[in-house]
Amino acid sequence: MMTPQEEQEKLLEEALTVVRTQSFQMKRCLDKSKLMDGLKHASNMLSELRTSLLSPKSYYELYMAISDELCHLETYLLDEFSKGRKVTDLYELVQYAGNIIPRLYLLITVGVVYIKSNELSRKDILKDLVEMCRGVQHPLRGLFLRNYLLQCTKNVLPDAEEDAEGGEVSVMSHAAPRAIAGLNKMVNSSDADAGTVRDSIDFIQLNFAEMNKLWVRMQHQGHSRDREKREQERRELRILVGTNLVRLSQLECVDVEKYKKLVLPGVLEQVVSCKDAIAQEYLMECVIQVFPDEYHLQTLNSFLHACVDLHPDVNIKNVIIALIDRLAQFSRKGDVARTIPMEIQLFDIFSQQISLIIQNRPDMPPEDIVSLQVALINLALKCYPTKLDYVDKVLETTEEIFHRLNLDHLDAASAVSRELARLMKIPIDSYNNVLELLKLEHYGPLMEYFDYQARKSISTHLILNALENETVIPSPEQVEGILNIVGPLVQDQSDQPEIDDEEDFAEEQGYMGRFIHLLSGDTPDQQYLVLSTARKHFGNGGNRRIRHTLPPIVFAAYRLALKYYQLREEDEKWEKKCGKIFQFCHQTIGALMKAELTELPLRLFLQGALVISQLDFENHETVAYEFMSQAFTLYEDEISDSKAQLAAITLIVSTFEKISCFGEENHEPLRTQCTLAASKLLKKPDQCRGVVVCSHMFWSGKSKDRAGKELRDGKRVVECLKKAGRIANQCMDKSVQVQLYVEILNSQIYFYENGCSEIQVSSINELIAKIREDLPNLESNDESDQINKHFANTITHLKIAKLQSSSNFSYDGLDP
């Protein structure tokens, strides 16, 4: 039992075998000038096209094979005609074909030969041929027959202006004998007419109408269970019908006026009247593709009116979008700038017609409606880039449609949500300036129709666009507007899921942190208002968000304070404004403390103290002291982990060392507090390292009383180092103890080489001896290897320093 495909292959091969045999015999007879026998074999070959057993695909292969062989016959007949054989004789010989299929194929071949030999009669021959083809009403056979007619006449269609038209000769025939009489009349007529482009239009449109009817008729043949198969076969054959429209578009004398008055009305009438969804959708798209943009612009209303009358099953969305996309690209073709003619209100026409189509199709899926709006907004942006009101009108119309359909909180995975997301992203990507979105009154309200995930996705897209294009937001009103639009990234939402991916969340908030740096007012006063607006929004973001968003606001405020200081000669109130800024920063950092964050507020307070020390405004010492004391409070009350405590006290000491705005009355308590805090660390090694760090405060720390010069208190430095040595001596772990000694040794060397006269070479020698005594007792492991390497490097440094002379220090008496 053969499969359907195998059966088709067998039938096709049998038919092709006959074609090869008969075509060979035809050529053999023609070579011997036996025209009668050659036509007989041609007729036998063409009889294979009478079959109803082949599928459209197999029939097409058979048709192409026979068409190739008929080219040989046509060449022979042209040669015979040039030798003086009368056309009447040729037509008489053609009549020996006993069946209509072979007869009409041969008549078309002979008719084209005659036209090529005598152009004056082509108008009437073409009319007669297209009429005679009505004799075949089987859909498949009729389609290919008429396609053969179209292919053969491709290069002989009249294409002259109508003013060259001569007299009319009408030969309308359905049977071959009448065709002979008509052709005889044409040969003998003195007023034979070569025809004009009008005749070509009539010929092609008649052929198109008949082919379309045959194509549509295929849908209604056979059992209903084979409907899908028939539809697939019809789609395979659609190019045969569409070729008629291609021929119309290739006529050079068809200008805009002829297209408007003759071509398009005839095509649209046939398309609308066939009432077949497959045919209508394909042919409307075909019209869009094959004719020039200028023609579409001049016939827009006619085409769109026809769209309204199409079958309800036609996917009208595809047709309208294809036309809009074609015209939207019109002004962007090549290097030549093109503009839409002023008299053609392209956007208004499409807007009205789309509204009418939606109104007439109440069952149109919402995603298709939005797709039309997507095409319309693309048209507005490409053809009218400066017309923001056009874009806003599309958004307004979409919002009205959603309100009417009672759609809300669209699932991000739904088709309508995806289409609406496309619509919302187009202005973002087109303008590449988020400030333009604020001019669209209906952009924000339309966002509310999404669910949380979709709103968050579009908000992220918007923020990334701003970051990529570095779009500066200069006014508080604009900040307010944008942060309202991207609400899902700023504050918790009522429809937000309880579980949110932490990595994605951190990434999104990272984008918002970067976005804050784009908030930059044109003036310092404007910048303060911008930051205040941002703080109001981001402050309501919840504990998870503010750790990402408030620190950038604080740093932006610090930069603003420095800006005021730079402009102090131009602004008399700069001191009060700086004080207000640091009050703003203090409150913002306080919000982070309330969120149970510790390290972040501590660092921000310390950074604030550093900034304040650079600004000589009223009460700046008091404000800096407050920031430092807040950092100490956080250290004492919130940090309990020993490693974190050491890191924090190191950070506090390092910051304090750089601050120069404190008088002695504030500087001394802070120094003492730092040293006391370091000595109270839980672990002895941490205490030792903390005290060593504190020693730097007494050497390179600065105070206002010393005019910003370093303290250089060698006595306190030595006290710190000795205390560190005592603490190290209390460590039970020998390797840790030696490591601490090496670190203390390096600190001694640092201070000695920087001019601390209180440190003696003898104390360095003692510490070196102590280390050398203890090193051999350490267990051999990675840790001890590191200690040995550290110590060896230190000794190498000392040896080199001893050889080099310096005015600041001398290593005489050193025994490295």
Side-chain angles (χ1 to χ4, degrees):
M1 188 69 180
M2 289 189 296
T3 64
Q5 183 177 354
E6 292 173 339
E7 187 175 352
Q8 283 293 310
E9 290 174 356
K10 180 185 177 184
L11 291 170
L12 177 61
E13 185 55 37
E14 290 174 354
L16 289 174
T17 301
V18 173
V19 169
R20 285 191 288 268
T21 303
Q22 294 299 323
S23 66
F24 174 77
Q25 296 295 335
M26 178 191 74
K27 293 173 185 175
R28 191 174 178 183
C29 291
L30 293 177
D31 290 342
K32 295 179 179 180
S33 297
K34 295 181 180 180
L35 183 57
M36 183 74 174
D37 292 339
L39 290 175
K40 181 180 177 181
H41 288 298
S43 178
N44 291 338
M45 174 180 70
L46 287 162
S47 293
E48 292 301 312
L49 290 173
R50 296 172 59 209
T51 181
S52 300
L53 300 175
L54 292 176
S55 67
K57 184 178 179 181
S58 299
Y59 194 91
Y60 171 74
E61 292 185 40
L62 178 62
Y63 164 81
M64 291 303 297
I66 292 175
S67 295
D68 291 341
E69 302 302 336
L70 286 176
C71 289
H72 185 85
L73 175 61
E74 181 184 337
T75 303
Y76 176 82
L77 292 176
L78 278 170
D79 186 54
E80 285 292 297
F81 194 83
S82 66
K83 292 177 181 178
R85 180 182 289 275
K86 291 184 179 181
V87 67
T88 314
D89 295 339
L90 293 176
Y91 265 88
E92 285 176 354
L93 291 174
V94 167
Q95 302 315 305
Y96 285 97
N99 293 294
I100 193 168
I101 290 287
R103 185 188 311 144
L104 289 176
Y105 273 95
L106 290 173
L107 277 171
I108 291 169
T109 306
V110 172
V112 171
V113 169
Y114 184 69
I115 290 173
K116 288 181 177 179
S117 303
N118 183 10
E119 290 191 357
L120 292 176
S121 59
R122 60 181 171 179
K123 165 186 172 182
D124 298 286
I125 293 176
L126 289 172
K127 282 186 178 180
D128 203 47
L129 290 176
V130 76
E131 286 288 349
M132 284 192 296
C133 287
R134 284 181 173 170
V136 178
Q137 290 296 312
H138 184 277
L140 187 61
R141 295 195 288 268
L143 278 171
F144 279 96
L145 173 65
R146 287 187 174 277
N147 184 68
Y148 182 70
L149 172 64
L150 201 61
Q151 294 297 331
C152 288
T153 57
K154 176 180 179 181
N155 297 318
V156 298
L157 293 174
D159 199 5
E161 293 293 346
E162 288 185 86
D163 56 4
E165 188 176 351
E168 289 273 330
V169 179
S170 178
V171 180
M172 305 296 285
S173 174
H174 297 280
R178 292 182 62 189
I180 297 171
L183 288 169
N184 279 327
K185 180 181 177 183
M186 285 179 252
V187 171
N188 298 317
S189 175
S190 59
D191 59 350
D193 192 351
T196 67
V197 70
R198 174 69 178 268
D199 300 308
S200 294
I201 293 172
D202 292 342
F203 167 79
I204 297 172
Q205 285 193 332
L206 179 56
N207 195 58
F208 165 66
E210 292 300 321
M211 288 185 77
N212 192 42
K213 290 174 185 175
L214 293 170
W215 187 42
V216 171
R217 194 181 302 157
M218 289 183 68
Q219 185 70 30
H220 308 291
Q221 291 184 332
H223 201 280
S224 58
R225 66 171 173 263
D226 298 328
R227 179 182 175 185
E228 289 186 7
K229 179 183 176 183
R230 286 198 304 274
E231 288 182 354
Q232 180 58 35
E233 290 177 345
R234 285 190 62 202
R235 289 188 173 92
E236 291 173 357
L237 295 171
R238 62 186 180 179
I239 193 171
L240 300 179
V241 185
T243 305
N244 289 278
L245 301 180
V246 176
R247 291 288 176 272
L248 282 170
S249 70
Q250 291 172 341
L251 296 172
E252 292 183 2
C253 289
V254 173
D255 56 15
V256 174
E257 285 303 313
K258 288 186 178 66
Y259 177 76
K260 186 190 298 185
K261 294 178 180 178
L262 301 176
V263 177
L264 187 63
V267 172
L268 292 181
E269 180 184 0
Q270 177 58 36
V271 171
V272 173
S273 62
C274 76
K275 300 188 182 303
D276 178 81
I278 294 176
Q280 288 181 340
E281 185 171 341
Y282 168 69
L283 293 173
M284 293 297 271
E285 290 184 7
C286 201
V287 169
I288 293 168
Q289 297 304 322
V290 301
F291 291 105
D293 297 326
E294 293 84 355
Y295 291 14
H296 294 316
L297 286 171
Q298 297 296 332
T299 57
L300 202 53
N301 276 315
S302 301
F303 187 90
L304 292 174
H305 280 135
C307 289
V308 177
D309 297 329
L310 295 181
H311 192 280
D313 290 340
V314 171
N315 192 338
I316 193 66
K317 172 197 73 172
N318 293 344
V319 178
I320 299 295
I321 290 175
L323 181 58
I324 289 178
D325 289 346
R326 177 87 188 259
L327 295 179
Q329 296 298 327
F330 173 71
S331 59
R332 294 172 175 252
K333 284 188 177 179
D335 298 327
V336 181
R338 303 185 183 188
T339 55
I340 305 297
M342 291 294 293
E343 66 273 12
I344 301 175
Q345 299 297 320
L346 198 59
F347 178 83
D348 292 336
I349 293 171
F350 271 111
S351 183
Q352 292 165 9
Q353 293 299 326
I354 287 174
S355 296
L356 188 60
I357 289 169
I358 294 172
Q359 183 179 340
N360 290 345
R361 291 178 176 242
D363 296 331
M364 181 182 284
E367 58 268 24
D368 286 0
I369 294 175
V370 180
S371 294
L372 289 173
Q373 302 302 318
V374 168
L376 196 55
I377 206 169
N378 271 323
L379 177 74
L381 287 167
K382 289 177 181 176
C383 296
Y384 306 97
T386 60
K387 295 266 190 178
L388 285 171
D389 54 319
Y390 283 177
V391 176
D392 203 37
K393 184 178 180 181
V394 176
L395 298 176
E396 180 184 11
T397 303
T398 309
E399 185 184 357
E400 289 173 355
I401 292 169
F402 275 55
H403 181 71
R404 188 174 70 248
L405 297 177
N406 199 27
L407 296 173
D408 197 7
H409 286 82
L410 302 169
D411 187 349
S414 66
V416 62
S417 180
R418 290 196 298 269
E419 284 300 314
L420 186 58
R422 280 182 60 211
L423 179 73
M424 300 297 282
K425 289 178 180 179
I426 287 170
I428 299 174
D429 297 332
S430 179
Y431 292 132
N432 283 326
N433 184 346
V434 296
L435 297 180
E436 293 296 301
L437 299 182
L438 299 179
K439 300 175 184 177
L440 304 175
E441 182 182 345
H442 297 89
Y443 192 89
L446 197 54
M447 282 279 284
E448 298 304 315
Y449 286 91
F450 289 106
D451 69 355
Y452 169 75
Q453 290 296 341
R455 293 200 309 277
K456 186 178 73 169
S457 174
I458 296 171
S459 298
T460 303
H461 188 79
L462 187 153
I463 293 299
L464 286 174
N465 182 274
L467 293 172
E468 183 178 345
N469 293 283
E470 298 182 354
T471 307
V472 175
I473 318 299
S475 77
E477 294 78 17
Q478 290 168 332
V479 173
E480 181 97 22
I482 291 174
L483 294 184
N484 282 333
I485 291 175
V486 299
L489 299 178
V490 178
Q491 300 176 11
D492 288 340
Q493 305 290 298
S494 58
D495 57 341
Q496 182 175 334
E498 293 183 7
I499 301 174
D500 213 352
D501 186 271
E502 282 298 330
E503 283 190 18
D504 290 346
F505 180 82
E507 184 178 19
E508 292 157 5
Q509 293 306 305
Y511 295 148
M512 294 308 295
R514 290 168 57 195
F515 176 71
I516 289 169
H517 294 292
L518 295 175
L519 310 182
S520 179
D522 296 330
T523 65
D525 291 348
Q526 184 86 338
Q527 175 66 354
Y528 180 76
L529 295 175
V530 164
L531 294 178
S532 297
T533 303
R535 166 72 176 84
K536 180 183 71 175
H537 282 269
F538 288 113
N540 295 324
N543 293 351
R544 290 177 67 208
R545 284 188 175 85
I546 61 174
R547 70 173 65 206
H548 300 280
T549 54
L550 292 190
I553 293 177
V554 173
F555 276 99
Y558 289 159
R559 287 197 302 273
L560 178 59
L562 292 170
K563 184 73 174 177
Y564 272 120
Y565 183 70
Q566 293 170 3
L567 300 174
R568 60 189 181 279
E569 300 296 332
E570 303 171 17
D571 191 343
E572 295 179 355
K573 299 181 179 179
W574 75 273
E575 293 185 84
K576 290 184 177 179
K577 291 176 180 178
C578 283
K580 192 173 182 181
I581 288 171
F582 287 109
Q583 185 179 4
F584 168 84
C585 293
H586 194 283
Q587 292 172 350
T588 305
I589 300 171
L592 293 169
M593 292 170 61
K594 291 177 182 177
E596 299 182 358
L597 298 172
T598 303
E599 183 181 354
L600 194 55
L602 184 141
R603 288 177 175 272
L604 290 173
F605 275 127
L606 293 176
Q607 185 65 40
L610 275 175
V611 173
I612 295 166
S613 71
Q614 302 174 46
L615 311 178
D616 188 17
F617 65 92
E618 185 181 359
N619 296 328
H620 73 293
E621 182 181 353
T622 305
V623 178
Y625 190 88
E626 170 63 20
F627 273 62
M628 286 298 297
S629 63
Q630 285 291 338
F632 261 114
T633 302
L634 279 169
Y635 166 78
E636 293 173 346
D637 296 346
E638 304 296 337
I639 300 177
S640 56
D641 180 74
S642 57
K643 286 186 178 180
Q645 284 181 329
L646 177 60
I649 198 64
T650 303
L651 193 62
I652 291 171
V653 170
S654 302
T655 303
F656 182 66
E657 182 188 0
K658 296 293 182 182
I659 294 175
S660 59
C661 66
F662 292 126
E664 188 61 25
E665 60 178 346
N666 287 325
H667 203 277
E668 196 279 331
L670 287 172
R671 294 197 304 266
T672 305
Q673 186 67 23
C674 287
T675 309
L676 185 61
S679 63
K680 287 185 176 180
L681 290 171
L682 179 62
K683 297 180 179 179
K684 292 297 180 181
D686 293 342
Q687 286 182 19
C688 177
R689 292 186 173 106
V691 172
V692 169
V693 168
C694 289
S695 65
H696 289 271
M697 287 189 304
F698 297 103
W699 184 256
S700 53
K702 307 174 186 67
S703 71
K704 188 167 63 175
D705 294 347
R706 291 179 57 86
K709 294 181 180 179
E710 294 181 349
L711 296 178
R712 299 281 173 155
D713 189 346
K715 182 180 177 182
R716 297 295 297 272
V717 169
V718 171
E719 288 177 5
C720 287
L721 294 179
K722 286 182 176 179
K723 185 173 183 179
R726 290 194 298 272
I727 296 171
N729 195 44
Q730 296 172 15
C731 290
M732 304 297 292
D733 189 328
K734 203 65 179 175
S735 60
V736 173
Q737 186 182 78
V738 176
Q739 176 65 46
L740 292 173
Y741 284 150
V742 174
E743 291 175 11
I744 295 169
L745 173 63
N746 276 269
S747 293
Q748 283 187 341
I749 294 169
Y750 167 80
F751 287 116
Y752 180 74
E753 292 184 357
N754 277 275
C756 183
S757 57
E758 284 78 4
I759 294 178
Q760 303 296 322
V761 173
S762 59
S763 63
I764 296 176
N765 282 331
E766 288 177 12
L767 195 50
I768 291 173
K770 176 67 174 172
I771 295 170
R772 281 180 170 155
E773 180 183 341
D774 292 341
L775 271 177
N777 300 326
L778 300 181
E779 294 181 7
S780 180
N781 53 36
D782 291 343
E783 188 178 357
S784 62
D785 290 344
Q786 288 292 330
I787 295 170
N788 275 294
K789 190 173 182 180
H790 189 182
F791 180 66
N793 289 338
T794 304
I795 296 301
T796 301
H797 168 80
L798 287 172
K799 288 179 179 180
I800 294 171
K802 185 176 181 180
L803 295 173
Q804 296 174 344
S805 60
S806 173
S807 58
N808 294 330
F809 62 89
S810 172
Y811 278 119
D812 292 338
L814 181 68
D815 185 17

